[in-house]
């Protein structure tokens, strides 16, 4: 086994969260972008989070969130009575067009570290890494959405992994975009990633995880 860390994103049920944890996932991601097929409402999130033990990162994903939505996270409104002893989330993931100043503002409002997504189609897209390296705590390098899509991620399409070969950055980063149990080991080999993120690649249908695929993905990433 290796020290590669795995994030299972777009979790919508306590059963899927428990299965991801049992498989060895290091992060569980909840999506709060309503147009996405894997989105979850704030009031539903507590049941999912209750299945995630301490020691596993609880990630809240947003796309260009307004202050009202960020305020709900900052005030812990999604916890309710299910998790009275701890914070709901340990990490904010920003998957929109948030400029560096907005990333800092969201970190200050929530008191949480932030992982900023940088969407990539060609080498020029990686220029954004430098600006966000000054304000984010982690980066997630993902495939750019197809033209015309209003959903920034979760399309199950990889980018050219060779763009990342030999690159190093000053902060932790995670690889996403079209990863599956069948290709994740090769993606890690080509990019040097020590963290990987998956949503559609371990699903039976959008928002519903396939528990056998979860196990296979985590095993392949960590082996």
């Amino acid at each position: 086994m290796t020290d590669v860390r795995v994030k299972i994103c777009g979790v919508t049920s306590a059963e899927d969260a428990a299965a991801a944890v049992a498989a060895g996932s290091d992060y569980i991601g909840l999506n709060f972008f309503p147009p996405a097929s894997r989105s979850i409402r704030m009031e539903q999130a507590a049941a999912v989070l209750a299945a995630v033990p301490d020691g596993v990162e609880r990630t809240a994903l947003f796309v260009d969130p307004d202050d009202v939505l960020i305020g709900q996270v900052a005030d812990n409104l999604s916890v309710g009575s299910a998790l009275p002893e701890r914070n709901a989330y340990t990490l904010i993931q920003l998957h929109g067009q948030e400029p560096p100043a907005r990333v800092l503002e969201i970190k200050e409002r929530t008191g949480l570290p932030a992982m900023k997504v940088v969407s990539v189609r060609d080498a020029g897209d990686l220029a954004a890494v430098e600006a966000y390296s000054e304000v984010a705590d982690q980066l997630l390098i993902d495939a750019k959405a197809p033209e015309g899509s209003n959903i920034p991620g979760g399309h199950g399409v990889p980018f050219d992994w060779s763009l990342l070969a030999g690159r190093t950055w000053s902060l932790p980063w995670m690889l996403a975009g079209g990863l599956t149990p069948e290709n994740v080991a090769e993606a890690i080999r080509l990019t040097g990633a020590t963290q990987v993120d998956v949503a559609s690649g371990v699903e039976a249908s959008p928002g519903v995880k396939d528990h056998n695929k979860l196990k296979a993905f985590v095993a392949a990433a960590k082996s």
Side-chain angles (χ1 to χ4, degrees):
M1 302 291 281
T2 70
D3 58 359
V4 170
R5 304 185 77 203
V6 175
K7 176 170 171 281
I8 306 298
C9 200
V11 175
T12 60
S13 72
E15 293 78 12
D16 286 353
V21 170
S25 180
D26 304 281
Y27 298 76
I28 300 297
L30 282 70
N31 186 325
F32 293 103
F33 183 52
S37 59
R38 301 170 187 90
S39 66
I40 189 170
R41 294 195 302 272
M42 279 284 181
E43 59 270 22
Q44 296 174 313
V48 177
L49 295 170
V52 183
D54 288 334
V56 177
E57 298 278 1
R58 302 180 296 276
T59 306
L61 183 160
F62 301 99
V63 177
D64 299 309
D66 60 22
D67 286 346
V68 172
L69 190 54
I70 290 300
Q72 289 179 319
V73 177
D75 295 339
N76 242 3
L77 296 183
S78 65
V79 181
S81 60
L83 301 170
E85 302 292 328
R86 65 176 182 175
N87 291 332
Y89 304 99
T90 60
L91 182 67
I92 299 292
Q93 178 177 330
L94 298 172
H95 208 136
Q97 300 299 313
E98 304 90 358
R102 180 61 172 161
V103 175
L104 274 178
E105 183 179 322
I106 290 171
K107 287 176 60 174
E108 291 171 358
R109 288 179 67 89
T110 62
L112 293 172
M115 177 163 62
K116 180 68 183 82
V117 177
V118 175
S119 299
V120 173
R121 183 172 294 127
D122 54 47
D125 294 320
L126 291 170
V129 167
E130 296 306 319
Y132 288 114
S133 294
E134 300 296 321
V135 297
D137 299 277
Q138 295 199 51
L139 299 172
L140 189 148
I141 311 299
D142 195 6
K144 188 169 283 188
E147 294 292 340
S149 174
N150 68 334
I151 309 295
H155 296 280
V157 178
F159 62 95
D160 180 1
W161 296 325
S162 68
L163 294 173
L164 303 184
R167 291 183 182 266
T168 58
W169 290 295
S170 60
L171 71 171
W173 66 277
M174 185 177 290
L175 178 67
L179 298 178
T180 67
E182 293 74 29
N183 68 17
V184 65
E186 178 70 359
I188 290 168
R189 186 187 71 79
L190 287 173
T191 64
T194 59
Q195 302 191 105
V196 291
D197 174 287
V198 65
S200 62
V202 293
E203 288 183 335
S205 60
V208 179
K209 303 308 182 194
D210 181 310
H211 295 183
N212 289 326
K213 288 182 179 180
L214 283 175
K215 295 176 186 176
F217 185 91
V218 175
K222 292 178 179 280
S223 66

